[in-house]
Amino acid sequence: MATGRLLDSNRDKAGEFIGECTILHSCEPCMKSNESKTATIFCQDCDEYLCDTCKNAHNVYKPGRHDIVRIQDRTSGRVVVDMKAMEICRNPVDTSRISLSSQPWPLTLELIVSVDLSKTGDVEMEPRISGLDFMPNGRLVVVDNANKKCFILNDRLQKLGSPHKFINKPMGVVCLSQNKLAITCGKDVCFLSVSTDNIIRMRRTIHTSSKFSSICCESPFKMIVSTYDDPRPARMLSVDGVESDFDNVELPYETYKVGESACTYVQSKNTLVLTDMLAHVVYMFDTVKGTSKAITDEKIQEPCGACVGPAETLLVISRAKNSLVHLTVEGDILGTYPVDIEMPWILCMNKDGTRLAVSNILNGNMKIQLFKISTAIS
């Protein structure tokens, strides 16, 4: 396993004051362009630090509502808050009560509910779940590739509303904002909205030059997608439909078939993660420094689905082991978690890191399981 260290996040670089202690934050959109500007405002709905220049573009181009506050306004009062990297007790006299909340720790997974996805009257074929993602309010979006549908589940994995039917087979899904989704369908990326009463509506479709499968967010305006039948295993796509490649990192020159690879992105670490199921490898690429690692371990066998875990860590499915592997972006394995689900395939974590959904892709024994996540601090 490579030992080079990925670039540490410099998200906390400019301006909050707590007694005699200063927490600094940089504008996150500027950081993506390799610029360093002091953040002056914070979007509480999007959980993002911004400078005054980026504020207007954020309000115009990113869907959803935006509760914008000045950073200095967030520091008033005597409360305990989570400041991305630190948990701080606001005490102007005693500044010793500072502890790292982003320290990666092993996890505890508690099964909440498990649902068998048997063939029902509203589907033509046995379901095959190819995409999962949580909406900010906790609803779970599920993509059924076999029946060309997506649908919504509640926190007990019960169906809400009616499913949406696609022309082509859908693959992956990412929630872009409070009620906006993007779903890959081969060479199409479909943008949909979900109402509070669970009505799914198609808004627009982008036609692309590559076939995309898994999808995640790199920023509010740009998505990262894994490909199949394409020598570029991961690419970028803006919400306006502009395609681009990772020119600063050397991706494996590998043309994957559908299902052989997936990707995710750790925004605060600028780290692209790419799984290679047949080679039993998890690749990690620092998209700013241009460095890379290939992580192999006997615990990682047929890695497929991957998602960002708590405290900027990763959760990767080890399909051949019927387990999840928890690791840092440096490649250190924090723990492995067997799951009572045969050949798990896809997973996702909710926004606050307290729920994890896992599904498999085995015909005749399809399941979705929901877990409670907690940190096993010793």
Side-chain angles (χ1 to χ4, degrees), residues 1-7 250 252 271-274 281-286 290-296 328-332:
M1 181 174 66
T3 58
R5 183 176 177 82
L6 290 173
L7 179 68
E250 187 174 349
T271 301
L272 168 67
V273 180
L274 188 71
V281 177
V282 177
Y283 294 101
M284 299 188 188
F285 305 91
D286 187 318
T291 57
S292 63
K293 298 177 182 178
I295 312 301
T296 59
T328 67
V329 293
E330 288 77 28
D332 300 318

